[in-house]
Amino acid sequence: MPIFVKTEIIKKEFITDNKLKKKFVDKHILWIKELKKAGVNVKSGFLVNEIKEPGAGGLLTLEAKTYQEALKIVKEDPMIKNKIVDWKLSEWIDISK
């Protein structure tokens, strides 16, 4: 099944609002857990620099039959629904087969 990758960066106006970020990250984590319960192969996390400082954005991978199916799933992410991130969805093509 194809693998899709969503990358995201928190919008500048939300970077310093840690309380708001935590609220939506917590909602995002619950959303991921629900996807997993529904059988979706999904992984999500944030990116850090060489000294483990966050701020480089987030990354989510998921398996879906089509780009449209992946897009439909990703658009339900609370971070996206509440417009606190800039994001992009791409299909990942494995060339190592």
Side-chain angles (χ1 to χ4, degrees), residues 1-17:
M1 188 174 305
I3 296 173
F4 296 87
V5 177
K6 177 194 63 133
T7 54
E8 66 187 24
I9 298 283
I10 292 180
K11 292 179 179 179
K12 289 182 183 181
E13 59 265 34
F14 300 109
I15 294 249
T16 58
D17 192 338

Side-chain angles (χ1 to χ4, degrees), residues 32-40:
I32 292 295
K33 287 179 180 180
E34 290 299 317
L35 287 174
K36 287 184 176 197
K37 281 183 191 175
V40 177

Side-chain angles (χ1 to χ4, degrees), residues 1-82:
M1 188 174 305
I3 296 173
F4 296 87
V5 177
K6 177 194 63 133
T7 54
E8 66 187 24
I9 298 283
I10 292 180
K11 292 179 179 179
K12 289 182 183 181
E13 59 265 34
F14 300 109
I15 294 249
T16 58
D17 192 338
N18 290 329
K19 190 174 181 180
L20 184 69
K21 279 192 299 189
K22 180 173 178 2
K23 174 184 171 183
F24 286 108
V25 168
D26 289 348
K27 287 183 178 191
H28 173 83
I29 291 168
L30 290 174
W31 173 70
I32 292 295
K33 287 179 180 180
E34 290 299 317
L35 287 174
K36 287 184 176 197
K37 281 183 191 175
V40 177
N41 186 4
V42 61
K43 300 209 180 342
S44 181
F46 59 93
L47 303 170
V48 297
N49 65 16
E50 68 275 4
I51 58 171
K52 306 285 187 213
E53 292 175 328
L59 184 120
L60 175 141
T61 63
L62 72 119
E63 288 185 357
K65 292 178 184 171
T66 65
Y67 182 91
Q68 291 304 321
E69 180 182 324
L71 183 61
K72 182 179 177 184
I73 293 168
V74 165
K75 283 186 172 182
E76 292 301 314
D77 183 339
M79 306 278 277
I80 291 173
K81 286 177 89 171
N82 290 280

